[in-house]
Amino acid sequence: MAAPGGARRQPLILLLLGLVHSASAVFMVTDGNGTACIMANFSASFLTNYNTKSGPKNVTFDLPSNAKVLSNSSCGKENASDPRLVIAFGKGHTLTLNFKRNATRYSVPMMSFIYDLSDTQIFPDASSKEPKTVESITDIVADINKKYRCVSGNQIHMNNVTVTFHDATIQAYLSNNNFSKEETRCEQDGPSPTVPPPPPHPSPLPPHPSPSPAPEIPSVHKYNVNGTNGTCLLASMGLQLNITYEKKDNTTMRGVFNINPNKTHVSGSCTAQLVTLELWTDSFALLVFQFGMNASSSRFFLQGIQLNATLPDAKDPTFKAANSSLRALQATMGNSYKCNTEEHIQVTEAFSVNIFQVWVQAFQVEGNKFGSVEECQLDENNMLIPIAVGGALAGLVLIVLIAYLIGRKRSHAGYQTI
């Protein structure tokens, strides 16, 4: 059980992280010719919650000045891989920033942090001594040939870890081997919105969201994620996103968007505790599925869904939603989960996912084939209906047949043979 008042202390800790932080450090990634493709200058603070024998505990620590850029950092290859900055510090801790670009902007759509609980200097009395992996979408975005600049503290929440960047200057896809003079400022540095005066009369109720025309059922596609030990995820499904947002004219819109497999780039990662599927659509979004496992019950499940989308007609074009406490698409390790019935997963109040004809297996995948099938409850219920109807019809036919035979016997009893 958490110590009393722990929930009240965490906002205070986050506030202190924004006021006191370590000196910044410069990190650079170069290509084979020694030309810089990524530069970053920032300081970072970490707030991590971990388990001890006496209960949960919060610990705060800074990115040290001797943190190093690892050799698996990369400038990326066109149509093959994207740039990546990997920073290592302490005893096995790594912070990774993955970059992506389109014609006009670049961003860090996904950031991950691996921390090793065996580091007793940072995590004293940890009940587990294993490395843990967390990741999240970010709002780090800038125009091409401009540096991302954010003086304010920018907090990235990753499950039980919060990373706060301070006085950050970041740029990828460098054109002149150094930071550009022009910059794109973060939203946190923008002017604070003014609070309007209270209305003289009660405000009318907000209008109901106007639904967009429903698209067709999305195409079903097979997705694979491979790691160093082979395939860790097989998934076959059609995906449809439901997003509620406020438009520029202050009306509320409920948009329905299909994921087109032919215009989607697939990537992901495999660890012992987490399997991640990343879907990058050409049009507007990054959609992430995270599968976790319960070792005690030997079951895998859909643990988290994250979305980072651009909605051009929205009042705030950047739409982000995440939920890392889901328990969906569950099956026994080594088996696969299958559901022909459409499944609806509510991620946040404003975002949900419709999954069509899903067939998925995570972690233990043998021979790149689905294992024994565990049917979803929805399919089992749907199978019961025709069985019940068929049983009722068979019973009715039997009753009619018995009634007919009884009636026929009685009709013969009314006559005598001459």
Side-chain angles (χ1 to χ4, degrees):
M1 182 179 293
R8 294 192 296 271
R9 286 198 297 269
Q10 182 157 323
L12 176 60
I13 294 172
L14 291 175
L15 176 61
L16 291 175
L17 283 174
L19 298 176
V20 181
H21 51 269
S22 61
S24 62
V26 178
F27 307 99
M28 182 183 298
V29 179
T30 58
D31 60 17
N33 298 321
T35 303
C37 60
I38 301 174
M39 288 185 66
N41 184 358
F42 58 77
S43 61
S45 302
F46 299 81
L47 169 63
T48 305
N49 180 271
Y50 69 101
N51 292 322
T52 68
K53 293 180 180 178
S54 57
K57 182 178 180 180
N58 285 330
V59 63
T60 61
F61 52 94
D62 294 325
L63 184 69
S65 58
N66 61 352
K68 302 294 184 182
V69 176
L70 288 186
S71 59
N72 59 341
S73 298
S74 170
C75 291
K77 295 181 180 179
E78 189 173 358
N79 298 324
S81 62
D82 297 307
R84 178 177 66 248
L85 169 62
V86 185
I87 302 170
F89 64 96
K91 298 180 180 179
H93 316 303
T94 57
L95 180 68
T96 302
L97 282 71
N98 297 288
F99 293 86
K100 197 85 173 176
R101 66 170 292 174
N102 56 26
T104 59
R105 311 184 89 185
Y106 67 93
S107 64
V108 182
M110 183 60 60
M111 185 176 76
S112 62
F113 178 50
I114 300 175
Y115 58 101
D116 196 334
L117 292 173
S118 65
D119 186 348
T120 56
Q121 292 184 349
I122 295 180
F123 305 104
D125 304 321
S127 56
S128 171
K129 302 300 181 183
E130 299 177 349
K132 302 290 185 180
T133 301
V134 292
E135 58 186 14
S136 175
I137 57 179
T138 82
D139 57 358
I140 298 174
V141 61
D143 297 328
I144 292 292
N145 295 326
K146 291 185 181 181
K147 60 189 176 187
Y148 167 85
R149 187 77 177 99
C150 196
V151 177
S152 305
N154 183 10
Q155 293 181 351
I156 309 297
H157 300 283
M158 300 185 291
N159 201 357
N160 59 320
V161 177
T162 297
V163 182
T164 305
F165 290 103
H166 312 274
D167 196 14
T169 304
I170 302 172
Q171 187 171 356
Y173 308 97
L174 293 168
S175 58
N176 57 2
N177 216 33
N178 204 341
F179 286 122
S180 300
K181 293 183 179 180
E182 294 186 278
E183 62 185 28
T184 299
R185 297 302 290 258
C186 64
E187 294 182 1
Q188 291 84 349
D189 285 353
S192 301
T194 56
V195 180
H201 302 289
S203 300
L205 293 174
H208 292 289
S210 55
S212 61
E216 298 178 355
I217 294 176
S219 301
V220 175
H221 186 74
K222 187 175 182 180
Y223 305 96
N224 289 32
V225 176
N226 299 313
T228 55
N229 297 321
T231 302
C232 66
L233 179 71
L234 285 179
S236 176
M237 54 190 174
L239 297 169
Q240 190 176 80
L241 312 182
N242 307 291
I243 304 175
T244 302
Y245 60 96
E246 189 175 1
K247 297 179 69 175
K248 294 177 181 178
D249 59 1
N250 294 324
T251 59
T252 302
M253 180 71 177
R254 183 183 291 117
V256 182
F257 308 92
N258 285 346
I259 297 296
N260 184 348
N262 298 323
K263 297 182 178 180
T264 300
H265 172 69
V266 182
S267 62
S269 61
C270 308
T271 68
Q273 301 292 330
L274 189 69
V275 171
T276 302
L277 170 66
E278 301 173 1
L279 303 178
W280 312 73
T281 68
D282 290 346
S283 54
F284 75 104
L286 163 64
L287 180 64
V288 179
F289 292 88
Q290 295 175 322
F291 290 86
M293 62 176 290
N294 187 323
S296 60
S297 62
S298 296
R299 293 179 68 81
F300 71 85
F301 53 89
L302 177 61
Q303 172 180 304
I305 296 179
Q306 302 179 19
L307 175 68
N308 191 354
T310 301
L311 305 171
D313 62 336
K315 194 172 185 178
D316 181 2
T318 301
F319 180 89
K320 295 195 301 181
N323 188 336
S324 59
S325 59
L326 301 173
R327 288 294 182 273
L329 315 185
Q330 300 188 48
T332 305
M333 298 286 287
N335 291 353
S336 60
Y337 174 92
K338 191 173 185 180
C339 197
N340 292 316
T341 307
E342 175 188 346
E343 294 211 38
H344 180 81
I345 299 177
Q346 193 71 41
V347 182
T348 65
E349 185 177 352
F351 171 55
S352 62
V353 180
N354 298 331
I355 305 181
F356 296 81
Q357 299 180 33
V358 61
W359 193 3
V360 65
Q361 184 171 345
F363 296 101
Q364 296 180 9
V365 180
E366 299 293 338
N368 203 31
K369 295 180 180 179
F370 287 110
S372 300
V373 172
E374 294 186 18
E375 298 281 353
C376 66
Q377 189 64 44
L378 291 172
D379 282 357
E380 291 179 0
N381 292 343
N382 288 343
M383 289 177 65
L384 289 175
I385 294 174
I387 291 174
V389 172
L393 290 175
L396 183 60
V397 170
L398 183 60
I399 291 171
V400 171
L401 180 60
I402 293 172
Y404 168 75
L405 293 174
I406 293 173
R408 185 178 180 184
K409 185 175 181 180
R410 286 180 176 175
S411 65
H412 280 293
Y415 298 93
Q416 294 182 354
T417 303
I418 301 176

